[in-house]
Amino acid sequence: MTETGDDRQRLHLVFGGELTTLKDVQFRDLDKLDIVGIYPDYASALAAWKGKAQQTVDNAHMRYFIVHMHRLLDPEEA
């Protein structure tokens, strides 16, 4: 259960890959996407994102993202 008393799952996907340019989100090779994992809440996803982003700080084209899967699964949910 979360701090607000809401026990609904709010799944988040963390993934990344190397971009073709720094101006757009276009991946260089979709076969090489790094699917870090699916997390039950934003805090867990953020911790995973920070860890992967820190590991790739020397590659400016490497980017990691957090996708709010719960918003895709239930668009009516805020």
Side-chain angles (χ1 to χ4, degrees), residues 30 49 78:
L30 293 177
W49 173 85

Side-chain angles (χ1 to χ4, degrees), residues 16-29:
E18 194 165 9
L19 303 178
T20 55
T21 73
L22 298 177
K23 296 180 181 182
D24 195 14
V25 180
Q26 181 82 20
F27 294 100
R28 185 163 293 178
D29 186 348

Side-chain angles (χ1 to χ4, degrees), residues 3-70:
E3 291 177 12
T4 62
D6 189 354
D7 61 353
R8 292 179 290 173
Q9 287 183 332
R10 287 197 162 77
L11 300 177
H12 294 77
L13 166 68
V14 178
F15 79 101
E18 194 165 9
L19 303 178
T20 55
T21 73
L22 298 177
K23 296 180 181 182
D24 195 14
V25 180
Q26 181 82 20
F27 294 100
R28 185 163 293 178
D29 186 348
L30 293 177
D31 291 331
K32 292 184 180 177
L33 285 180
D34 181 10
I35 308 299
V36 180
I38 296 174
Y39 298 89
D41 54 52
Y42 182 77
S44 300
L46 183 61
W49 173 85
K50 282 182 181 180
K52 291 304 273 191
Q54 185 61 40
Q55 289 174 5
T56 60
V57 72
D58 292 334
N59 182 351
H61 284 89
M62 193 68 158
R63 292 283 195 276
Y64 280 88
F65 301 90
I66 298 175
V67 177
H68 298 265
M69 292 178 63
H70 61 96

